[in-house]
Amino acid sequence: MGITKNRVDQDEDGPEEEHVTKIYYCSRTHSQLAQFVHEVQRSPFGKDTRLVSLGSRQNLCINEDVKTLGSAQLINDRCMEMQRSKHEKSKAEEEKPKRRKQERRATCPFYGYEQLQLLRDQVLVGVKDIEQLVALGKEARACPYYGSRSAIPAAQLVVLPYQMLLHAATRQAAGIRLQGQVVLIDEAHNLIDTLTGIHSAEVSGSQLCQAHSQLLQYMERYGKRLKAKNLMYIKQILYLLEKFVTVLGGNTKQNPNTQSLSQTGTELKTINDFLFESQIDNINLFKVQRYCERSMVSRKLFGFTERYGTVLAPSREQPKLAGFQHFLQSLQPTVTQTSVTPVEEGEARVPRLASPLMHIESFLAALTTANQDGRVILSRQGSLSQSSLKFLLLNPAVHFAQVVKECRAVVIAGGTMQPVSDFREQLLACAGVEAERVVEFSCGHVIPPDNILPLVICSGPSSQQLEFTYQKRELPQMMDETGRILCNLCTVVPGGVVCFFPSYEYQRQVYAHWDKSGLLARLAVKKKIFQEPKRANQVEQVLMEYSRCIKYCGQAGGTVTGALLLSVVGGKMSEGINFSDNLGRCVVMVGMPYPNIKSPELQEKMAYLDQTLPRGPGQPPPGKALVENLCMKAVNQSIGRAIRHQKDFASIVLLDQRYARPPILGKLPAWIRDRVEVKATFGPAFAAMRKFHREKSVPS
């Protein structure tokens, strides 16, 4: 359970609450989860379903002093520190006659056992989303984060982000039990990437030096109080940190920002090779990891640096600790240097730095992975602070296997799951799932078949063959031909046109070329041009202006008939954004967005799949199939942005002759694949577009 009670409560509580049979519904973002909860509320089952929504502290915290910290890492650390303060206070009261006066430290007023029990009962009465849960917590003055977790055993439907379910330690901390339950993973098109990301870990040279400095100071202050075993583990962690810095070419005794490395570049190693080269193969990392979990040393370290880094009371240790705090701040140039002021008694201190040791713990845990299932990437970037050690998970199935093994059933669902071979081979088969246990179901789209016009265009208006390979796509004639195609399409497509490019850099090059050649001015005659911003906080503003422009042009008439949005595959607008109705009457895909084949991570993943997966007769090697599948998943996500409801209609234009190849066409969703028309020349393609939009634009 997520609630920690004092000893009296634990003695009176009795046996742990039994978990009823339930469905765990997971999705990618909180907004998608909220949408699902609203559908449950509207359904006939809404009144009788005991539903609980889980979220992060960042989303559920109602303590303003903690919430204003902003960073998820700082909020987590501060929350845990305040809990520890509460437990220490309770213990101090029990042993009051024996103890000296303790320094008063802030505790959370919303973390009380009785309050949380009351909130738990209220959570289960009626279906509530995250916002309603927060409002209820404020009203009850009880923490929604822990109150929702305590409601899990009695809930019939648990709604949570899938990162929370797919990570074993997070599951355990949240009190999630999968034995005999049903798991439904929605929006699962990037499930493999998510599993890989969750269980990969990266630490910078700056974090390694910070952790070493903090732990060394902690040991110097408390070394005489620590048990010999605990002291041994702390010395082992210090040794590990020193060796990690050394293998990058640095030194823990110097500021990482000023340390220049003689050797630069990226190096990739097996886990065993990395352990031998770092000279840490003689240390039992499983025991070190277990010590970190049980002792919560990273949390203690956070409290230690927070407390002694800000206290101004004179003491013999104070000059050392003040210098220590200044040194830690110097390791992070981005941290604002705020003035240090005395803290009033009972006032909560605001921490400046999250505990870097937490990142180190994740990296140490990753190093306990089987040698064949992961790799370590050493990235040396000139200075130690910018260099890093990264663990890359090659076999995500090892972490998904436990979910599959424990659950009664697992449903992997999504609107755009094609191609599904990755899920069967990389995830389910490698997790030990028998082929007969896998049931695949796919249905058509809700729209009538004639509401979409998917076209593969192999050549442009001037007969230039369209093949946007890395070698050819930057040729002036290729960029000119793309501009001419868009100019023609914009004359017949009403409303909005969304054009996807393989990368931000290529979009920038094409835009600059069009501006220089005059094509941009020609495009602007028919459509106002918008570009996808690189910064996430600007996306909403661009979308609002894009939408406003289309609405205005539709009402006002005139030569400008809408807007053209230049976007990037895998960017902010290729997932989660709905270009319904006039916002996306045509989606254009320029080229095939293959991932960077020179990436060390991708090359290692390809080599791993070639070694571990069988190659079927007449099939490409598994590594090559991975690259194609990654490309087509990105394409499918992008082109699916336009059709969002039953009466919607749009044309889909794939600009590259390689799309006409049967293996590539076979990776498109069935509802698009069955309607695709391959046009060898531009004339017939333009005629089909004009006919389609003329017919669809006539009011029925």
Side-chain angles (χ1 to χ4, degrees):
M1 298 296 293
I3 308 170
T4 307
K5 300 168 290 204
N6 62 38
R7 292 174 185 172
V8 176
D9 292 328
Q10 286 174 340
D11 291 340
E12 292 176 355
D13 193 42
E16 200 170 348
E17 194 172 351
E18 187 180 348
H19 284 237
V20 302
T21 302
K22 62 178 92 298
I23 296 172
Y24 286 99
Y25 174 89
C26 321
S27 193
R28 194 170 60 90
T29 64
H30 284 289
S31 60
Q32 289 165 344
L33 294 172
Q35 190 178 353
F36 172 76
V37 172
H38 295 156
E39 291 300 321
V40 174
Q41 289 172 332
R42 290 171 53 191
S43 75
F45 312 103
K47 293 181 180 178
D48 303 321
T49 303
R50 297 192 302 275
L51 180 149
V52 59
S53 296
L54 301 182
S56 63
R57 286 183 176 90
Q58 202 170 15
N59 290 97
L60 291 172
C61 180
I62 58 173
N63 187 326
E64 290 302 325
D65 290 337
V66 177
K67 201 173 180 182
T68 51
L69 297 174
S71 152
Q73 180 74 60
L74 286 173
I75 290 172
N76 289 341
D77 283 352
R78 183 62 176 159
C79 177
M80 295 298 290
E81 174 67 13
M82 293 178 90
Q83 287 179 52
R84 199 159 64 87
S85 300
K86 186 179 181 72
H87 302 148
E88 286 175 2
K89 180 182 174 185
S90 174
K91 190 176 178 182
E93 287 172 357
E94 290 177 19
E95 302 174 2
K96 205 168 186 178
K98 304 176 187 177
R99 296 175 65 92
R100 297 177 184 176
K101 188 178 179 181
Q102 295 280 314
E103 177 195 2
R104 288 182 62 185
R105 286 153 56 194
T107 58
C108 185
F110 305 102
Y111 187 74
Y113 178 61
E114 289 77 12
Q115 300 159 268
L116 290 172
Q117 292 297 298
L118 181 64
L119 180 61
R120 178 197 66 178
D121 297 338
Q122 292 175 330
V123 164
L124 294 170
V125 178
V127 175
K128 298 171 185 67
D129 63 16
I130 291 285
E131 285 74 23
Q132 292 166 328
L133 183 58
V134 168
L136 189 64
K138 287 179 179 177
E139 186 182 326
R141 290 192 59 77
C143 176
Y145 178 76
Y146 285 104
S148 59
R149 288 183 173 208
S150 65
I152 292 173
Q156 297 166 314
L157 180 57
V158 179
V159 178
L160 69 166
Y162 56 39
Q163 291 88 338
M164 192 177 286
L165 181 125
L166 297 173
H167 192 262
T170 309
R171 282 201 305 272
Q172 187 178 358
I176 295 168
R177 294 185 184 175
L178 299 181
Q179 194 69 44
Q181 311 293 15
V182 176
V183 167
L184 197 161
I185 303 172
D186 200 1
E187 295 291 333
H189 55 272
N190 55 2
L191 177 60
I192 295 173
D193 293 338
T194 301
L195 276 163
T196 302
I198 290 172
H199 296 97
S200 296
E202 185 171 12
V203 290
S204 67
S206 179
Q207 288 170 332
L208 291 168
C209 287
Q210 286 178 50
H212 185 275
S213 300
Q214 290 179 4
L215 197 56
L216 190 61
Q217 292 282 346
Y218 180 84
M219 187 183 73
E220 286 175 358
R221 182 172 179 87
Y222 295 117
K224 292 179 181 178
R225 301 187 202 175
L226 294 170
K227 292 179 181 177
K229 196 172 184 180
N230 292 341
L231 194 58
M232 177 196 73
Y233 280 121
I234 286 176
K235 287 181 177 179
Q236 283 189 352
I237 297 170
L238 284 168
Y239 176 77
L240 289 169
L241 294 170
E242 287 172 11
K243 291 301 180 183
F244 290 156
V245 171
T246 303
V247 83
L248 283 173
N251 189 323
T252 53
K253 295 177 182 178
Q254 298 174 26
N255 190 319
N257 289 322
T258 60
Q259 289 189 60
S260 297
L261 305 184
S262 56
Q263 183 184 352
T264 58
T266 301
E267 199 177 350
L268 198 141
K269 293 185 176 296
T270 65
I271 299 172
N272 287 347
D273 286 347
F274 173 74
L275 297 178
F276 282 120
E277 185 175 329
S278 304
Q279 299 176 354
I280 59 171
D281 53 296
N282 58 331
I283 291 181
N284 189 327
L285 294 178
F286 290 95
K287 288 186 176 181
V288 173
Q289 182 193 359
R290 212 154 39 237
Y291 166 76
C292 291
E293 289 172 358
R294 290 175 180 172
S295 68
M296 297 176 70
V297 65
S298 60
R299 308 284 185 191
K300 291 174 182 175
L301 209 57
F302 171 76
F304 170 76
T305 54
E306 181 198 17
R307 196 177 316 142
Y308 295 110
T310 53
V311 173
L312 293 182
S315 70
R316 282 186 297 176
E317 289 96 347
Q318 190 54 41
K320 265 190 199 175
L321 293 168
F324 164 56
Q325 182 70 14
H326 287 306
F327 173 66
L328 289 181
Q329 289 181 349
S330 76
L331 300 183
Q332 286 194 347
T334 54
V335 176
T336 306
Q337 298 283 343
T338 52
S339 59
V340 179
T341 54
V343 179
E344 294 295 328
E345 190 177 2
E347 183 182 338
R349 294 177 180 81
V350 180
R352 289 186 177 84
L353 301 169
S355 172
L357 193 59
M358 293 195 72
H359 295 278
I360 315 300
E361 286 178 7
S362 300
F363 184 68
L364 291 175
L367 290 179
T368 62
T369 306
N371 186 54
Q372 69 272 16
D373 291 335
R375 297 290 182 270
V376 179
I377 301 168
L378 289 76
S379 177
R380 301 181 179 96
Q381 302 294 330
S383 73
L384 178 59
S385 62
Q386 295 173 327
S387 301
S388 64
L389 298 173
K390 181 178 180 180
F391 174 82
L392 173 67
L393 180 70
L394 295 177
N395 182 16
V398 295
H399 296 286
F400 195 62
Q402 195 63 34
V403 175
V404 173
K405 183 181 177 183
E406 291 183 5
C407 292
R408 174 185 300 185
V410 178
V411 181
I412 302 173
T416 315
M417 295 289 287
Q418 291 286 18
V420 297
S421 58
D422 284 354
F423 296 99
R424 285 198 305 265
E425 295 164 8
Q426 291 184 45
L427 209 55
L428 300 176
C430 290
V433 179
E434 302 85 1
E436 57 270 17
R437 192 182 165 192
V438 180
V439 178
E440 191 177 322
F441 172 77
S442 180
C443 57
H445 209 286
V446 294
I447 62 165
D450 59 354
N451 272 24
I452 59 164
L453 176 65
L455 296 176
V456 174
I457 301 180
C458 300
S459 63
S462 63
S463 301
Q464 171 70 46
Q465 288 296 305
L466 301 176
E467 189 169 353
F468 292 86
T469 60
Y470 193 75
Q471 294 78 15
K472 295 179 182 178
R473 69 186 190 184
E474 293 179 14
L475 296 173
Q477 58 264 37
M478 290 294 287
M479 293 190 275
D480 286 337
E481 198 75 335
T482 306
R484 283 190 283 268
I485 291 170
L486 281 176
C487 282
N488 280 281
L489 296 183
C490 287
T491 61
V492 296
V493 178
V497 177
V498 184
C499 180
F500 285 101
F501 291 87
S503 68
Y504 282 105
E505 177 58 25
Y506 187 57
Q507 182 204 330
R508 187 194 64 77
Q509 287 180 355
V510 171
Y511 187 90
H513 181 80
W514 289 348
D515 190 26
K516 192 176 179 181
S517 67
L519 272 165
L520 206 61
R522 285 174 56 192
L523 279 167
V525 171
K526 283 292 181 183
K527 305 285 183 186
K528 185 174 180 182
I529 300 167
F530 294 86
Q531 290 187 81
E532 176 178 326
K534 274 194 172 183
R535 295 175 63 178
N537 60 357
Q538 296 174 340
V539 170
E540 196 67 35
Q541 182 185 348
V542 171
L543 284 173
M544 282 177 62
E545 291 175 5
Y546 172 76
S547 175
R548 199 180 296 124
C549 173
I550 291 170
K551 188 176 180 181
Y552 173 78
C553 292
Q555 293 170 347
T559 55
V560 178
T561 60
L564 169 64
L565 178 59
L566 306 178
S567 302
V568 177
V569 176
K572 319 290 185 304
M573 297 181 181
S574 62
E575 280 194 51
I577 304 291
N578 296 339
F579 294 108
S580 59
D581 300 319
N582 278 340
L583 294 182
R585 287 305 181 199
C586 177
V587 175
V588 181
M589 179 66 62
V590 178
M592 299 187 70
Y594 281 106
N596 181 10
I597 198 70
K598 294 180 180 178
S599 159
E601 291 97 325
L602 182 58
Q603 288 182 348
E604 197 63 27
K605 181 75 173 179
M606 291 170 66
Y608 172 79
L609 293 178
D610 287 340
Q611 291 169 7
T612 55
L613 295 184
R615 180 179 178 180
Q619 296 294 317
K624 186 179 178 183
L626 168 72
V627 174
E628 275 192 1
N629 289 347
L630 289 172
C631 169
M632 291 309 295
K633 277 183 182 177
V635 168
N636 293 338
Q637 275 301 305
S638 299
I639 63 180
R641 298 298 94 207
I643 303 292
R644 309 311 295 175
H645 60 83
Q646 191 175 11
K647 295 182 180 179
D648 210 351
F649 67 89
S651 53
I652 297 167
V653 179
L654 305 174
L655 296 183
D656 200 304
Q657 62 184 8
R658 292 174 292 175
Y659 283 112
R661 298 172 186 171
I664 299 297
L665 284 175
K667 295 177 193 279
L668 289 169
W671 62 278
I672 294 177
R673 183 177 64 238
D674 296 342
R675 301 287 297 176
V676 166
E677 298 177 26
V678 177
K679 303 294 184 182
T681 56
F682 185 72
F686 181 72
M689 286 283 291
R690 183 169 51 195
K691 181 173 181 285
F692 174 81
H693 285 285
R694 187 179 292 163
E695 290 175 355
K696 292 298 174 186
S697 298
V698 175
S700 53

